[in-house]
Amino acid sequence: MNGKLQGIIICGVTAACLVGVMAFLNSTSGKSDADSSSSSTAAVSSQDESVVILTKSSDDITSVKVSNEHGEYSVNKSESGKSTWSIPELGTLNANANAEASMISNLDGFKAKKLVEENVEDMSKYGLDKSTADLTVEYSDGTATTLHVGSVSPSNERYSYVSLDDEKTVYMVMGTKLSYYTDPVTAYANLTLLAKPSDDDWPDYGKETVTRKDLDYEMAFENNPNEIEGLSGQVMTEPIFSYLNITNSSATTHGMWGLTAQSCEVIAPDETAMKEHGLSDPFATVRLSGDGYDYTLKIGDPVYATAGDSSETTDTVSAYYCYFEGVKGVDAIYLVSADNLPWATIKAEDVITSLMTSNYLVDLKNVEVVYNGKKTVYEVESSGASTDTDSDGKTTAQVTKVTTDGKELDVDNFKTFYQYLMGCPTNEIYFTDPEGESYLTITFDRKDGKKDVMEIYKDSSRRSVVKLNGETSFRIQSTWVDTFVANMDRLLKGEAVDDNY
């Protein structure tokens, strides 16, 4: 006998044994579930047992009335012509048209997985003596059918028992098909709080302010008065003036457009509901206003993530309760993912650029340094300005000469020196005005007549405070100043500049 034929025979014998074992188990075991009944088919079967229990087309539906543990609501065919369906219980809230349509289309040729039992004497064993949800489907011909949802099947938790009208026949339906009618009315709310404009329809940026209980300052963002390549189109104007890192700041400056929630919690909340969700005195408030718009986002109490499948909460905030003002149709308390709310956690240092000032070297007339009363001026000559660009937008102007006190310096070494200067650390913002006089002042004089001034004051043996254009703005390591002063001497001697501090 060849190996292939022998294998086929062995498989056939094994399959026959398995069928015999299953037949033995089915004939000797008692009923383990209410599904086992005289009307049910054999436990092991690949035959399709599905049953259509709502035979009419969804096109003929005029209304669906829902009653469940969350309350009562109805989905009605709209007579206004503005939309296909309407839910009165949503009030002025914007509805999710796709969810409404899906709820109705779900009833088209509505199928049960199978018929469980006919002529049931005790509906309580299926949870249908007191149903968890009822939906009444009304049709254009004046007829109506009510579907009752009972308990979850103990043998397969993906399914629930249902019955129709006053009939004593029980069916099994997949839970996902029933979720439309066991959910609260808030499940049909539109979760977009502010629509994101199209690429050609963005409004002019106005001003955004962020106030938070855990910060002792307010952040404000406005349009950048100078367009600078590689930097955000906005700048921070409070608590300090600073250019923004375009990568780190865009979610903060523009994240309100296109903001969506993960769920709607309370429709048209009253004062009590606002207080219960931490919104009468919010943890954070974000206001974005400009020409023709004024939006306010209130961020209330946090919701903490759970550990795996357990109900035990962790220290990680997963979402916040929020309320949005300035847009029609969003009068509700929403739960918004923490990932969509950068304003709840950011600090000024997180979004500002590492550049304390942003003066292109080719735009400078000179850099003046006064250290402990001694003045040094670096005169800069260049072939043009930063606005001189090629077809790719790159600056074509070059620094051609740098002198100090009549001595010509190596241009490349001065560029390295200037790069160190521009890298003055901005990782700690600071607002307390320093005492005494500045011991180091650096002035950037531009060809257009404008200037930036950095004044540096002693704060401690290890720290110095920086005033930028007269405003106390940063605190830096004093070692940065020590290296800067040493680099001035290296530059004059023609030695390599040190970029470590």
Side-chain angles (χ1 to χ4, degrees):
M1 183 183 294
N2 67 48
K4 181 176 181 182
L5 180 57
Q6 185 180 16
I8 293 172
I9 292 174
I10 291 173
C11 290
V13 172
T14 302
C17 291
L18 288 175
V19 171
V21 171
M22 292 304 298
F24 173 78
L25 291 175
N26 287 331
S27 65
T28 58
S29 63
K31 293 182 179 180
S32 60
D33 185 352
D35 299 341
S36 301
S37 67
S38 60
S39 63
S40 63
T41 59
V44 181
S45 174
S46 60
Q47 187 177 1
D48 182 8
E49 303 174 76
S50 62
V51 182
V52 176
I53 59 176
L54 295 178
T55 59
K56 294 184 179 180
S57 170
S58 61
D59 293 337
D60 297 325
I61 296 175
T62 59
S63 175
V64 176
K65 293 180 169 57
V66 177
S67 175
N68 57 36
E69 61 178 326
H70 305 289
E72 298 180 357
Y73 59 92
S74 61
V75 182
N76 304 319
K77 184 165 284 187
S78 177
E79 297 178 358
S80 66
K82 294 181 179 179
S83 61
T84 305
W85 300 96
S86 64
I87 303 177
E89 289 76 13
L90 285 178
T92 61
L93 214 58
N94 293 330
N96 184 332
N98 290 332
E100 291 175 331
S102 296
M103 176 194 190
I104 302 300
S105 63
N106 184 58
L107 296 170
D108 194 1
F110 192 78
K111 282 185 179 182
K113 176 179 174 59
K114 67 178 182 178
L115 187 154
V116 176
E117 185 178 355
E118 295 179 295
N119 302 315
V120 179
E121 294 183 1
D122 182 11
M123 297 291 278
S124 65
K125 64 180 179 180
Y126 298 108
L128 288 164
D129 56 329
K130 296 181 180 178
S131 54
T132 58
D134 301 295
L135 57 140
T136 299
V137 186
E138 298 179 348
Y139 297 97
S140 57
D141 62 4
T143 60
T145 299
T146 299
L147 187 146
H148 309 286
V149 182
S151 56
V152 175
S153 168
S155 64
N156 193 332
E157 295 183 353
R158 293 186 303 158
Y159 294 86
S160 294
Y161 302 117
V162 304
S163 64
L164 298 177
D165 297 319
D166 297 327
E167 297 176 5
K168 297 299 182 181
T169 301
V170 176
Y171 305 90
M172 181 185 284
V173 176
M174 183 172 282
T176 53
K177 289 175 67 69
L178 296 171
S179 63
Y180 289 101
Y181 321 108
T182 56
D183 284 339
V185 67
T186 51
Y188 295 93
N190 191 324
L191 300 180
T192 299
L193 305 186
L194 179 61
K196 187 175 182 178
S198 63
D199 291 342
D200 298 328
D201 198 31
W202 278 89
D204 291 334
Y205 198 86
K207 181 177 183 179
E208 181 180 86
T209 59
V210 181
T211 57
R212 229 174 45 226
K213 284 187 175 181
D214 63 335
L215 296 179
D216 57 2
Y217 58 83
E218 179 182 85
M219 285 178 278
F221 306 94
E222 299 180 62
N223 273 331
N224 188 343
N226 304 302
E227 290 189 13
I228 300 174
E229 183 180 355
L231 297 181
S232 169
Q234 284 68 49
V235 294
M236 176 179 285
T237 55
E238 294 290 342
I240 62 171
F241 178 90
S242 178
Y243 295 98
L244 300 178
N245 181 311
I246 191 169
T247 302
N248 296 348
S249 66
S250 59
T252 299
T253 56
H254 289 75
M256 197 175 286
W257 283 292
L259 181 63
T260 59
Q262 63 185 42
S263 64
C264 175
E265 298 295 312
V266 182
I267 299 173
D270 56 17
E271 292 182 7
T272 300
M274 293 289 281
K275 185 175 182 180
E276 288 176 349
H277 293 83
L279 291 163
S280 57
D281 183 23
F283 161 71
T285 301
V286 186
R287 183 180 180 187
L288 177 62
S289 57
D291 186 15
Y293 62 91
D294 190 355
Y295 309 127
T296 298
L297 172 66
K298 296 180 179 180
I299 303 173
D301 290 341
V303 173
Y304 294 92
T306 55
D309 295 331
S310 70
S311 59
E312 183 179 349
T313 58
T314 65
D315 294 332
T316 302
V317 176
S318 62
Y320 291 88
Y321 292 110
C322 295
Y323 187 81
F324 197 88
E325 298 174 347
V327 176
K328 290 183 179 180
V330 296
D331 181 18
I333 294 174
Y334 296 88
L335 194 61
V336 181
S337 170
D339 294 338
N340 292 344
L341 298 170
W343 312 278
T345 53
I346 67 152
K347 296 181 179 179
E349 297 92 330
D350 298 333
V351 293
I352 62 176
T353 180
S354 59
L355 298 177
M356 200 170 287
T357 68
S358 59
N359 296 294
Y360 286 101
L361 187 53
V362 292
D363 292 331
L364 292 178
K365 182 173 61 176
N366 63 65
V367 179
E368 178 186 287
V369 180
V370 178
Y371 176 65
N372 288 335
K374 181 182 177 181
K375 180 189 292 186
T376 302
V377 180
Y378 300 99
E379 304 284 349
V380 180
E381 297 179 22
S382 59
S383 61
S386 61
T387 53
D388 299 329
T389 58
D390 59 18
S391 58
D392 294 326
K394 295 182 179 180
T395 299
T396 56
Q398 297 289 329
V399 175
T400 57
K401 186 177 182 181
V402 180
T403 58
T404 180
D405 197 23
K407 180 178 180 179
E408 188 169 341
L409 304 175
D410 181 85
V411 171
D412 289 336
N413 203 26
F414 183 80
K415 287 180 180 179
T416 305
F417 171 75
Y418 187 72
Q419 184 176 352
Y420 178 86
L421 172 56
M422 295 296 286
C424 183
T426 60
N427 56 302
E428 182 185 1
I429 62 172
Y430 193 73
F431 317 119
T432 304
D433 286 337
E435 297 180 354
E437 299 293 328
S438 64
Y439 71 97
L440 173 65
T441 301
I442 304 170
T443 303
F444 303 85
D445 280 313
R446 297 198 295 268
K447 295 174 183 177
D448 61 7
K450 298 178 181 178
K451 63 177 61 180
D452 284 318
V453 181
M454 291 170 53
E455 300 171 274
I456 302 178
Y457 299 74
K458 285 289 185 182
D459 181 59
S460 67
S461 59
R462 295 184 177 182
R463 292 286 185 270
S464 295
V465 174
V466 180
K467 278 188 174 183
L468 181 60
N469 296 327
E471 297 291 334
T472 302
S473 303
F474 301 98
R475 188 161 61 175
I476 65 174
Q477 300 98 312
S478 294
T479 52
W480 182 89
V481 179
D482 296 338
T483 301
F484 174 76
V485 173
N487 279 337
M488 292 177 64
D489 187 56
R490 294 186 183 99
L491 185 64
L492 191 61
K493 293 178 180 179
E495 298 174 356
V497 169
D498 184 6
D499 59 2
N500 297 310
Y501 60 90

